[in-house]
Amino acid sequence: MINSSLQYPIFGPEIQCPHCRQTVPALTLTDTYLCTRHGAFEADPKTGELVHLQSGRHWKQWGDEWYRQHTHPDGIRFEIHEALDRLYTQGFRATKVIIAWRYQELISGYLERSTPWRGQSDQFPKLYGLPVDFSPNPEADARWEVINFDLEKEPGVPVRYPYFRLFE
């Protein structure tokens, strides 16, 4: 008898589409999942990534969520901007953005930096008016090898909604 798990790609008989989150079936005896709305996704057993064949975008999974692996600073900035908007509509305000360590070089040129004034030290660079910190090395916390950022938040709306400046 053939093990039925060997007939499917590495993520099993079905996944949630990273774009629309609908259930997507695997094509048996291939490494491919087929979304009726977004097309084919290929599972790479060597890297553990899911690749959207039409766009070439790469995704990794942590828990039950797919996280796009960005290669351009605008992608990560746009994703952070969307998350800030979601927080705002849920009645929260972000107090800090923690970005995955692997994106430090990619995004550093887009961070706002204030110049020290009268002996004050420059505490954190900023993005959309919020302090930015970078995650620990993935060896210390494995989730940072997959997830892109985290937002520290608190209840309430921002005093000044700073997230309108998407691409400054």
Side-chain angles (χ1 to χ4, degrees):
M1 179 176 251
I2 296 175
N3 184 348
S4 66
S5 67
L6 298 176
Q7 296 178 9
Y8 296 110
I10 60 173
F11 301 115
E14 59 187 26
I15 61 169
Q16 300 295 313
C17 174
H19 289 288
C20 64
R21 293 187 172 82
Q22 74 178 10
T23 301
V24 174
L27 301 178
T28 54
L29 302 175
T30 71
D31 285 326
T32 307
Y33 295 90
L34 189 58
C35 176
T36 55
R37 291 178 60 193
H38 296 101
F41 291 87
E42 191 169 276
D44 185 340
K46 293 177 186 165
T47 63
E49 291 184 337
L50 190 66
V51 180
H52 184 232
L53 294 180
Q54 190 173 11
S55 68
R57 292 179 176 152
H58 291 242
W59 304 79
K60 283 188 178 179
Q61 191 174 36
W62 184 261
D64 291 334
E65 292 288 320
W66 288 104
Y67 294 89
R68 184 168 161 215
Q69 304 303 293
H70 297 284
T71 56
H72 192 276
D74 287 344
I76 184 81
R77 291 173 64 218
F78 185 76
E79 187 178 341
I80 292 169
H81 186 271
E82 284 183 320
L84 291 170
D85 278 343
R86 272 193 307 280
L87 271 185
Y88 178 74
T89 60
Q90 296 167 352
F92 289 93
R93 66 173 154 244
T95 57
K96 186 184 215 179
V97 181
I98 303 165
I99 300 173
W101 180 74
R102 68 185 183 278
Y103 293 124
Q104 190 166 1
E105 188 176 319
L106 184 70
I107 200 164
S108 64
Y110 291 86
L111 300 177
E112 308 158 18
R113 302 192 190 286
S114 57
T115 22
W117 184 73
R118 292 192 180 191
Q120 295 176 346
S121 63
D122 188 19
Q123 295 174 347
F124 291 100
K126 294 184 178 190
L127 182 65
Y128 304 123
L130 296 168
V132 172
D133 200 1
F134 289 95
S135 73
N137 190 310
E139 293 172 5
D141 188 348
R143 71 186 178 119
W144 288 107
E145 193 171 317
V146 176
I147 71 168
N148 298 324
F149 66 92
D150 197 9
L151 298 173
E152 289 184 2
K153 64 184 181 185
E154 63 187 19
V157 295
V159 177
R160 179 179 66 85
Y161 190 64
Y163 320 132
F164 286 125
R165 301 180 311 227
L166 178 56
F167 299 103
E168 298 156 348

